[in-house]
Amino acid sequence: MPSAEELWEHLFDEESLRRRIERAEALYHAGRLEESREVLQELVRRYPDFPDLRLKLALILFQHEDHAGALVHLERALEANPRFGDALVLSAALLLHQGQVEKARRRYEEARSAAALPSPFADYGLAVCRHLLGDGEGCDELIRPLLRQGEVPVEALGLLACTRAGQGQLELTRAGYADLLSRRPEAPWRLDAAAWFLEEEDPEAAEEALDALPTYADDPSLVLARARIFGRLGRREEALRLLERYRGEHGVHPALGVEEARLCMRSVEPAQALHRLNEVLGRWPECAEARRQRVRILRREGRVAEAAEEMQRLRRL
C-alpha cells in the first residue's frame, strides 16, 4: 500500500508541473503571449490553489489589457497567500489604473508591510496614491529616499515636481524639473516642464524646454501640446504651420482642428476658423468642443440666430 506522500507525488506530478511552467515562461519571453496564456489557464484549472500560477496568468492578462480578468486571478492568489508581495503590488497597480485610488493605497500599504525587505515599487506606487489623494508631504516622504537610492524609474522626479507645484513650492518645482530634464530629455517631460513654466509666466524657460524637442512629430498629442505652447509664446504662425502640416499629411484631427480654429481667431480670421471647425464636425459631429467654439465665433460675428441653432445642437449631445 503506497504511503500518503507517494500518493500525493503521484497525483501532483511535480516534475510535469515544473516543465509546463517553464514552457509557459519560455513562450512569454518569446513574445508568444497567447500560447503562454493557454498553458497557464490549463495549469490554473488543474491547480487552482497555487498563487504563483495565478500571478503568472494575471501578468499575461495584463499584457492583453484584460485588467478585470487579471484582478480576479490576483484576488484568488491573495486568498491563498494574503502576504504574496508581487500579487499585492500588481493588484494595487491595476486598482490605481482603474481609478480606485484609496483601495490601491491600502493594497500598496499591505505590500509594504508584507515585504521582508524594502519594496521600492510598493513605495513608489504608494507615493503616487498619496499624490493623487492630495497628500503632498506623504508623497515627498516616500519619493526622496527612493531617488537617492536610485531604486525607481526617474519618472519619480516628475511626480515630485508635480507634488511640489501643488504645494506652491515654486523654486523646488523648478529645480525638480531641471533635474528631470537633465536626466530624461525626451519629449513628454519637456512638454510638462514647458507647460509649468508657462503657467508661472516664465516664457524664456518654457521656450528653452521646448526648443530641445524634435521639430516635428507624427504623434497628435505632441503636435497639439507644441502648438499650444507656441501659441502662448506668441509664435502663432509657427503653431499654424505645424497644425497645417499634420492636417496635410494625416487628415483632419478633432483636437488639432479645434486648436487651429482658436489660433485663427487670435489672428482675426473668423471665416478660416469656422472652416476648420466645419471640417471637424463633418467627420465628428459629436465633437462638443468644436460646437462650443462655433457658438463663440458666431456670437462674436453677430450671427445670433446661427449661434442659437448651434447651441441647440450642442445641448443635444
Side-chain angles (χ1 to χ4, degrees), residues 8 30 65 104 171 173 188 220:
W8 173 247
E65 298 191 0
E171 290 307 313
T173 305

Side-chain angles (χ1 to χ4, degrees), residues 158-187:
L159 176 62
L160 189 57
C162 289
T163 299
R164 287 170 170 172
Q167 294 171 329
Q169 301 179 38
L170 303 186
E171 290 307 313
L172 287 175
T173 305
R174 186 181 299 276
Y177 273 127
D179 191 10
L180 175 62
L181 294 174
S182 70
R183 300 194 203 190
R184 289 287 291 273
E186 56 263 52

